[in-house]
Amino acid sequence: MAMLLIKNIGMLATAKGNEPLRGPAQHEGVEIRRGCAVLLNGDTIQGVYDNASAPDCDNVIDAGGRLVTAGLIDAHTHLIFGGWRQHEVPLKLRGASYLEILQAGGGILNTLVATRNASEDELYDRAVSALSEMRDHGITTVEAKSGYGLDEQNELKQLRVIRRLKEEGGFNVVPTFMAAHAVPPEYKGDPDGYIEYVCTKILPKVADEELCEFVDVFCETGVFDVEQSRKMLTYGQAYGFKVKIHADEIDAIGGSKLAGEIGAVSAEHLIAIDEEGISSMAKGGTIACLLPGTSLYLNKEFAPARRMIEAGVPVAVCTDFNPGSCPSNDLQLCMNLGYLKYRMTPEEVLSAVTINAACAIGRGDSLGTVEPGKQADLVIWAAEDIDYLVYRMGTNKAKTVIVKGEIIK
Ligand code: NIG
Ligand code: FE
């Protein structure tokens, strides 16, 4: 195993441990260490030392006094899709809402056609190019959902692309099965019938081929109600999968409350969350995956991150990268928005895109901190501290990116 020493780190900023940080710990749990070095042993972090006591090593990178953090983790993306939806923006700007566009057969249903028409190879190539952009920005692990196939053949096609990204592409990708993303034309007006089909026909195949780790559902007015969502997620849990839920994005119909009740690992969006939802999530230990790029793009409110942190809900910040509500995979921009719009501290933002994001995808034990034994995913930033990282906007600040001990940028 090749050893690699990163020396002369100006500031190492990292959380500790394998658990999500919540409440005051989301800020206080980030340790700042100055003048240090990190030794990597192959794909694993070996140790952290003061510069003066760093071991000798044949392979050395000089961090030049810069900031080093764990690799960023994007815990919520809809990475696998055909086509784009730039033609919907003028409709939106003329006042059509997200749900109006969806109900008129656009939105997710538009991407459904392009995704069904795309071959597995095309979807793979597009995902590789998005993941390469993301790595270039310091994102070393990405969660990816299906949910634009909406039938057996095409949902499995999306999930097989994700498997190939891991096995062939060497990307750290965590798969989520989200056939319950919209009601497809074949089941128009019959969401119950569609959920039954997904639970009894597609999910068993997904389980047979071990194609996902999480199951997700879009719990929203005009999409799937709380009972349909409960059924989808309960089936997922019965097959041994962990669950997530798109909840309270537009209306608080009870999705976040359900998340806490059934022990969902995370609930996503939460723009419209109410106090009942917040306390249910705090009680259930559910992580809030907040998506500020989507608020920006849909011209909506920003989720009440401070209220959630104060109530003891661990907060993660993710892109929601998809062709409709957030056609951006720039997690650095989301960090800026987390700082400015959620009013999170730089430390809270860092936990949100490292340890809390790792826990939101079931990787708290191997990712999200710079500690011995964790996977050697690190970023050397063109920044001297984390304040600068969340302050500079619209420019890529990742200088050197290391994935599993390998320098990929
Ligand atoms: O998380 N809200 C539901 N799903 C996605 C959007 C998908 C799309 O518009 O294509 C989201 O924002
Ligand atoms: Fe989403």
Side-chain angles (χ1 to χ4, degrees):
M1 279 283 193
M3 307 289 278
L4 175 66
L5 182 73
I6 307 168
K7 68 162 202 194
N8 197 15
I9 296 171
M11 174 188 280
L12 176 68
T14 180
K16 288 266 162 81
N18 304 345
E19 299 295 324
L21 298 182
R22 69 192 79 211
Q26 177 139 10
H27 173 99
E28 289 159 11
V30 171
E31 272 188 22
I32 303 290
R33 185 163 169 173
R34 292 178 195 277
C36 59
V38 177
L39 182 65
L40 311 182
N41 182 359
D43 60 7
T44 305
I45 297 171
Q46 174 87 19
V48 182
Y49 314 84
D50 289 333
N51 266 331
S53 56
D56 286 334
C57 185
D58 290 340
N59 285 326
V60 176
I61 307 181
D62 188 334
R66 295 183 180 84
L67 169 71
V68 170
T69 69
L72 305 186
I73 297 170
D74 191 346
H76 180 138
T77 82
H78 301 258
L79 178 71
I80 314 297
F81 57 86
W84 292 96
R85 304 220 298 270
Q86 65 275 31
H87 47 271
E88 282 176 7
V89 178
L91 297 176
K92 218 178 67 164
L93 295 178
R94 283 201 293 271
S97 76
Y98 182 78
L99 290 179
E100 279 162 1
I101 293 175
L102 178 61
Q103 269 138 21
I108 294 171
L109 297 175
N110 201 325
T111 300
L112 165 116
V113 175
T115 305
R116 285 185 180 177
N117 287 338
S119 69
E120 201 176 301
D121 283 345
E122 279 161 3
L123 294 176
Y124 179 81
D125 290 345
R126 288 170 60 105
V128 166
S129 106
L131 286 171
S132 307
E133 278 173 8
M134 293 171 90
R135 276 190 167 183
D136 191 60
H137 279 69
I139 303 168
T140 51
T141 300
V142 172
E143 183 260 11
K145 302 174 199 295
S146 70
Y148 290 118
L150 310 191
D151 64 15
E152 182 183 321
Q153 179 195 342
N154 290 291
E155 284 294 311
L156 293 178
K157 177 174 76 178
Q158 284 194 276
L159 292 172
R160 288 185 190 125
V161 169
I162 300 173
R163 182 168 61 193
R164 216 171 124 194
L165 291 166
K166 287 190 286 181
E167 289 178 356
E168 204 177 293
F171 292 100
N172 295 324
V173 194
V174 175
T176 297
F177 174 54
M178 198 182 176
H181 192 196
V183 179
E186 296 80 3
Y187 282 87
K188 196 169 171 28
D190 184 17
D192 282 315
Y194 180 62
I195 290 288
E196 174 70 12
Y197 163 68
V198 173
C199 290
T200 60
K201 295 281 186 284
I202 316 184
L203 185 61
K205 303 248 162 64
V206 172
D208 268 359
E209 284 191 47
E210 297 178 19
L211 283 171
C212 78
E213 295 182 33
F214 285 88
V215 171
D216 197 344
V217 59
F218 189 11
C219 181
E220 189 58 66
T221 307
V223 192
F224 299 108
D225 65 21
V226 171
E227 283 323 305
Q228 290 153 354
S229 302
R230 186 193 300 276
K231 175 169 170 174
M232 183 70 245
L233 299 182
T234 310
Y235 260 84
Q237 287 175 325
Y239 275 94
F241 299 123
K242 291 167 278 190
V243 300
K244 298 178 170 286
I245 179 169
H246 280 59
D248 305 353
E249 176 178 358
I250 296 157
D251 296 317
I253 62 167
S256 51
K257 191 164 162 269
L258 173 67
E261 268 168 37
I262 64 172
V265 173
S266 66
E268 336 286 300
H269 285 289
L270 308 171
I271 293 172
I273 194 168
D274 55 17
E275 292 311 317
E276 205 183 354
I278 294 179
S279 78
S280 174
M281 285 179 62
K283 222 181 281 160
T286 301
I287 298 169
C289 284
L290 304 186
L291 313 169
T294 307
S295 289
L296 179 76
Y297 214 80
L298 295 180
N299 205 12
K300 295 250 169 217
E301 299 287 301
F302 285 81
R306 286 251 63 86
R307 269 166 48 214
M308 292 186 226
I309 291 173
E310 274 150 29
V313 174
V315 169
V317 170
C318 332
T319 63
D320 195 21
F321 176 50
N322 73 74
S325 62
C326 189
S328 164
N329 55 17
D330 187 349
L331 190 56
Q332 292 185 34
L333 173 64
C334 293
M335 293 169 72
N336 299 129
L337 294 172
Y339 184 42
L340 295 169
K341 295 296 190 177
Y342 293 153
R343 310 183 77 81
M344 293 166 71
T345 65
E347 287 83 353
E348 287 169 342
V349 171
L350 183 68
S351 332
V353 293
T354 54
I355 187 62
N356 286 4
C359 294
I361 55 168
R363 294 288 190 281
D365 52 355
S366 57
L367 303 176
T369 68
V370 182
E371 289 179 288
K374 290 252 178 143
Q375 186 165 301
D377 293 352
L378 297 107
V379 183
I380 303 175
W381 297 96
E384 61 190 39
D385 56 30
I386 51 175
D387 297 41
Y388 183 90
L389 197 56
V390 293
Y391 145 79
R392 281 296 306 281
M393 194 162 83
T395 173
N396 182 6
K397 297 162 291 281
K399 185 173 188 303
T400 303
V401 182
I402 298 170
V403 180
K404 290 188 189 156
E406 203 186 313
I407 302 164
I408 54 111
K409 178 188 184 181

